[in-house]
Amino acid sequence: MCGICGEIRFDGAQPSALAQARMMDAIAPRGPDGSGLVMHGHTALAHRRLSIIDLSEKARQPMVDAELGLTIAFNGCIYNYPELRSELEEKGYRFFSHGDTEVILKAWHAWGTECVTRFMGMFAFVIHERDTGRVVMARDRFGIKPLYLAENDRSVRFASSLPALLKAGDIDASIDRHALHHYLSFHAVVPPPRTIINGVKKFPPATIRVIEQDGRKTDTVYWSPPYQRDPSMAGLSSNDWRDMVLDSLRTAVKRRMVADVPVGVLLSGGVDSSLIVGLLAEQGQHGLMTFSVGFEEANGEKGDEFVYSDLIAKHYGTDHHKIFVPSDKLMDALPGAFAAMSEPMVSYDNVGFYLLSQEVSKHIKVVQSGQGADEVFGGYHWYPPLANSNDVVDDYARVFFDRSHATMAQHVNPEWLADTDVSRELVARHLLSAGADTPVDAALRLDSQVMLVDDPVKRVDNMTMAWGLEARVPFLDHELVELAAKVPIEEKLKQNGKGVLKEAARLVVPHEVIDRKKGYFPVPQLKYVDGPYLDMVRDALTSRAATDRAIFRDDYLQKLFASPSDHITPLQGSELWQVGLLELWLQTHGI
């Protein structure tokens, strides 16, 4: 896990060394253990290192394979790299290091664009071919590892974070109206290739791109599983599905222990992270470090779930670390959390993960986390009503969207409103495309391949890597997800959602963390914006920069300021926090 950046020129000029230095400085927190820069002709690759596998200097990046004429900058982890290495050695390849980076280089040389289909893990990488000038970019199936691009006819710059590209300069930082619509409607999810600003795009997940020396490019989408029943599995019982899911999850958790440093767990006390702890204990892990975070209550809403995380920690005898965040510390941490966001992210738990990661990074470099289980196994409240839906687009939008297009027209000034309901159109394209048996399948596919990528996954990457901490997500093991996509909907929707996973969990963890009301990462002070939080948001939205931008109608802002708790979205988010966070992020990054 690291940070990467670089530049490819198509006009015969050399990449800017100053731009590389600025980007490397911006991504420094992602890789505090080392740095490197390789410039060859019209291409520059740069890297900040977080040492997890093969801690020696032989694994430093950018890695150059002089024999094959290849250079790579790589962020992530390939969990099955030992098996792939053995396969490549049988083909005659010789290795000079012991980690996964060199395996990617040899795999590209051996298998070309098919190499990514063999990788089990999370990754974003860029390879430069010395002899052809060709450049290869790829991103993992769920976009767990980020990759941002700033492109024009002359060049493309890339980086692990959007702010790094801003630091390099020469970026169109005007706001993308379609992205703004997604942010305000699709619960702050802005899918690739867009970002909130026009001059930076996101490289899409599950994609490998080959860029020729003259700038021509070819994209290949290498993974898109069907959300359909497999006729050969029609006779399986509920217990069969339970056992298959548990076996697959066991494998996923075990895979993510590959490291030359200790691996801990972010333990919320919910069934997902508790199950990870239970499976690691089952596999013989002793002295496992676990970490939980909690906040002060607000408006009568409790700010922690320590009772459940304590239960799991005691049950398995983990080395448990409990972090309580008082309100003044939360306030102090918000500027750092805003700076760590590659894009504006509205979820309250961003600052929770930011503060938790700060503490965890003092002890270890790698953790497993439970993100993705709800999207993969149907844990959210909006899935059961879709089982009988006759209009999946309308029914999904009603429970998930923060605003309709008509309502948005009353909240933003006319020049900022997209001409059509682009968010609903985007969601409709995904929900109505072939390959999903039922409306619930269609929603699970949308949430796991679109919403998940640009909300929970991005959030965890940004906040953990702000402190040089690698987070691994076993529920996004692609083999587990492929199996889950075949599980009958009725097995997923049992027990108010995630039924098949809960039944698997009963074989591993105490029932108290299973048979409980579903919890979320609570940060109630940000849901009920009041006191210093209200002052901060009001100051941002009434600043000179905000009034010059004039995104939001003044009458709408005055209503929010007067009564923040009266304006809550269908997903229980604060409208004031959402619009304020956007402005705070823009100002934090000098936009």
Short mmCIF file of all heavy atoms in Angstrom, two decimals, residues 106-128:
data_model
loop_
_atom_site.label_atom_id
_atom_site.label_comp_id
_atom_site.label_asym_id
_atom_site.label_seq_id
_atom_site.Cartn_x
_atom_site.Cartn_y
_atom_site.Cartn_z
N LYS A 106 6.22 -9.08 -14.18
CA LYS A 106 6.40 -10.32 -14.94
C LYS A 106 5.06 -10.80 -15.49
O LYS A 106 4.98 -11.34 -16.61
CB LYS A 106 7.01 -11.40 -14.05
CG LYS A 106 8.50 -11.58 -14.17
CD LYS A 106 9.33 -10.47 -13.62
CE LYS A 106 10.81 -10.84 -13.59
NZ LYS A 106 11.65 -9.77 -13.01
N ALA A 107 4.00 -10.65 -14.72
CA ALA A 107 2.67 -11.08 -15.17
C ALA A 107 2.24 -10.30 -16.40
O ALA A 107 1.65 -10.86 -17.34
CB ALA A 107 1.65 -10.92 -14.04
N TRP A 108 2.49 -9.00 -16.44
CA TRP A 108 2.17 -8.20 -17.61
C TRP A 108 2.97 -8.69 -18.83
O TRP A 108 2.43 -8.85 -19.93
CB TRP A 108 2.44 -6.72 -17.37
CG TRP A 108 2.49 -5.92 -18.64
CD1 TRP A 108 3.59 -5.41 -19.26
CD2 TRP A 108 1.39 -5.60 -19.50
NE1 TRP A 108 3.25 -4.78 -20.43
CE2 TRP A 108 1.90 -4.88 -20.60
CE3 TRP A 108 0.02 -5.85 -19.44
CZ2 TRP A 108 1.09 -4.41 -21.63
CZ3 TRP A 108 -0.79 -5.38 -20.47
CH2 TRP A 108 -0.25 -4.67 -21.54
N HIS A 109 4.23 -8.95 -18.61
CA HIS A 109 5.08 -9.41 -19.71
C HIS A 109 4.61 -10.77 -20.23
O HIS A 109 4.61 -11.02 -21.44
CB HIS A 109 6.54 -9.50 -19.25
CG HIS A 109 7.51 -9.77 -20.36
ND1 HIS A 109 7.93 -11.04 -20.70
CD2 HIS A 109 8.15 -8.92 -21.22
CE1 HIS A 109 8.77 -10.97 -21.70
NE2 HIS A 109 8.93 -9.69 -22.04
N ALA A 110 4.16 -11.65 -19.32
CA ALA A 110 3.77 -13.01 -19.69
C ALA A 110 2.37 -13.07 -20.29
O ALA A 110 2.13 -13.81 -21.26
CB ALA A 110 3.85 -13.92 -18.47
N TRP A 111 1.43 -12.32 -19.72
CA TRP A 111 0.02 -12.52 -20.06
C TRP A 111 -0.66 -11.29 -20.64
O TRP A 111 -1.84 -11.35 -20.99
CB TRP A 111 -0.75 -13.00 -18.83
CG TRP A 111 -0.23 -14.31 -18.29
CD1 TRP A 111 -0.02 -15.46 -19.00
CD2 TRP A 111 0.15 -14.60 -16.93
NE1 TRP A 111 0.45 -16.45 -18.17
CE2 TRP A 111 0.56 -15.97 -16.90
CE3 TRP A 111 0.16 -13.86 -15.74
CZ2 TRP A 111 0.99 -16.59 -15.73
CZ3 TRP A 111 0.61 -14.48 -14.57
CH2 TRP A 111 1.02 -15.82 -14.58
N GLY A 112 0.02 -10.16 -20.69
CA GLY A 112 -0.58 -8.97 -21.26
C GLY A 112 -1.80 -8.51 -20.47
O GLY A 112 -1.83 -8.60 -19.24
N THR A 113 -2.82 -8.04 -21.18
CA THR A 113 -4.00 -7.48 -20.49
C THR A 113 -4.74 -8.53 -19.67
O THR A 113 -5.52 -8.17 -18.79
CB THR A 113 -4.97 -6.86 -21.50
OG1 THR A 113 -5.34 -7.83 -22.48
CG2 THR A 113 -4.35 -5.65 -22.19
N GLU A 114 -4.51 -9.80 -19.94
CA GLU A 114 -5.17 -10.86 -19.16
C GLU A 114 -4.59 -10.98 -17.75
O GLU A 114 -5.18 -11.66 -16.90
CB GLU A 114 -5.04 -12.21 -19.88
CG GLU A 114 -5.85 -12.31 -21.15
CD GLU A 114 -7.34 -12.21 -20.88
OE1 GLU A 114 -7.84 -12.93 -19.98
OE2 GLU A 114 -8.02 -11.41 -21.55
N CYS A 115 -3.45 -10.35 -17.49
CA CYS A 115 -2.81 -10.52 -16.18
C CYS A 115 -3.72 -10.11 -15.03
O CYS A 115 -3.73 -10.76 -13.97
CB CYS A 115 -1.49 -9.76 -16.12
SG CYS A 115 -1.63 -7.95 -16.10
N VAL A 116 -4.51 -9.05 -15.24
CA VAL A 116 -5.34 -8.55 -14.14
C VAL A 116 -6.40 -9.55 -13.71
O VAL A 116 -6.85 -9.53 -12.56
CB VAL A 116 -5.99 -7.20 -14.50
CG1 VAL A 116 -4.95 -6.08 -14.48
CG2 VAL A 116 -6.67 -7.26 -15.86
N THR A 117 -6.82 -10.41 -14.62
CA THR A 117 -7.84 -11.41 -14.25
C THR A 117 -7.28 -12.44 -13.29
O THR A 117 -8.04 -13.15 -12.63
CB THR A 117 -8.38 -12.12 -15.51
OG1 THR A 117 -7.35 -12.91 -16.12
CG2 THR A 117 -8.92 -11.13 -16.51
N ARG A 118 -5.96 -12.54 -13.20
CA ARG A 118 -5.32 -13.50 -12.31
C ARG A 118 -5.03 -12.92 -10.93
O ARG A 118 -4.72 -13.66 -10.00
CB ARG A 118 -4.00 -13.98 -12.92
CG ARG A 118 -4.18 -14.75 -14.23
CD ARG A 118 -2.82 -14.98 -14.88
NE ARG A 118 -2.96 -15.75 -16.13
CZ ARG A 118 -2.69 -17.07 -16.22
NH1 ARG A 118 -2.29 -17.74 -15.15
NH2 ARG A 118 -2.83 -17.68 -17.37
N PHE A 119 -5.13 -11.59 -10.80
CA PHE A 119 -4.76 -10.95 -9.54
C PHE A 119 -5.91 -11.01 -8.54
O PHE A 119 -7.04 -10.63 -8.84
CB PHE A 119 -4.40 -9.48 -9.76
CG PHE A 119 -3.18 -9.26 -10.63
CD1 PHE A 119 -3.02 -8.08 -11.33
CD2 PHE A 119 -2.21 -10.24 -10.75
CE1 PHE A 119 -1.92 -7.87 -12.14
CE2 PHE A 119 -1.09 -10.04 -11.56
CZ PHE A 119 -0.95 -8.86 -12.25
N MET A 120 -5.61 -11.48 -7.34
CA MET A 120 -6.55 -11.42 -6.23
C MET A 120 -6.03 -10.35 -5.28
O MET A 120 -5.00 -10.54 -4.63
CB MET A 120 -6.64 -12.77 -5.51
CG MET A 120 -7.23 -13.87 -6.36
SD MET A 120 -7.32 -15.44 -5.47
CE MET A 120 -8.11 -16.47 -6.72
N GLY A 121 -6.74 -9.24 -5.22
CA GLY A 121 -6.24 -8.18 -4.36
C GLY A 121 -6.81 -6.83 -4.71
O GLY A 121 -7.84 -6.71 -5.35
N MET A 122 -6.11 -5.81 -4.25
CA MET A 122 -6.49 -4.42 -4.48
C MET A 122 -5.30 -3.73 -5.11
O MET A 122 -4.17 -3.91 -4.66
CB MET A 122 -6.90 -3.75 -3.17
CG MET A 122 -5.88 -3.88 -2.05
SD MET A 122 -6.49 -3.18 -0.51
CE MET A 122 -5.04 -3.36 0.53
N PHE A 123 -5.53 -2.96 -6.16
CA PHE A 123 -4.38 -2.41 -6.85
C PHE A 123 -4.76 -1.26 -7.76
O PHE A 123 -5.86 -1.18 -8.30
CB PHE A 123 -3.67 -3.50 -7.68
CG PHE A 123 -4.58 -4.25 -8.63
CD1 PHE A 123 -4.85 -3.77 -9.91
CD2 PHE A 123 -5.16 -5.44 -8.25
CE1 PHE A 123 -5.68 -4.47 -10.78
CE2 PHE A 123 -6.00 -6.15 -9.11
CZ PHE A 123 -6.25 -5.66 -10.37
N ALA A 124 -3.80 -0.37 -7.91
CA ALA A 124 -3.76 0.62 -8.98
C ALA A 124 -2.31 0.68 -9.40
O ALA A 124 -1.43 0.88 -8.55
CB ALA A 124 -4.26 1.98 -8.52
N PHE A 125 -2.05 0.46 -10.68
CA PHE A 125 -0.65 0.49 -11.10
C PHE A 125 -0.51 1.10 -12.49
O PHE A 125 -1.47 1.13 -13.27
CB PHE A 125 0.00 -0.91 -11.05
CG PHE A 125 -0.59 -1.94 -11.99
CD1 PHE A 125 -0.26 -1.96 -13.34
CD2 PHE A 125 -1.44 -2.93 -11.51
CE1 PHE A 125 -0.78 -2.92 -14.20
CE2 PHE A 125 -1.97 -3.90 -12.35
CZ PHE A 125 -1.63 -3.89 -13.70
N VAL A 126 0.70 1.59 -12.76
CA VAL A 126 1.06 2.14 -14.06
C VAL A 126 2.40 1.53 -14.45
O VAL A 126 3.35 1.56 -13.67
CB VAL A 126 1.16 3.68 -14.02
CG1 VAL A 126 1.58 4.23 -15.38
CG2 VAL A 126 -0.16 4.29 -13.58
N ILE A 127 2.44 0.94 -15.65
CA ILE A 127 3.66 0.32 -16.17
C ILE A 127 4.10 1.06 -17.43
O ILE A 127 3.27 1.39 -18.29
CB ILE A 127 3.42 -1.17 -16.51
CG1 ILE A 127 3.11 -1.97 -15.24
CG2 ILE A 127 4.63 -1.78 -17.23
CD1 ILE A 127 2.71 -3.41 -15.51
N HIS A 128 5.40 1.30 -17.53
CA HIS A 128 5.97 1.92 -18.74
C HIS A 128 6.87 0.90 -19.42
O HIS A 128 7.73 0.29 -18.79
CB HIS A 128 6.77 3.17 -18.38
CG HIS A 128 7.48 3.79 -19.56
ND1 HIS A 128 8.85 3.86 -19.66
CD2 HIS A 128 6.99 4.34 -20.71
CE1 HIS A 128 9.18 4.45 -20.80
NE2 HIS A 128 8.07 4.75 -21.45
#
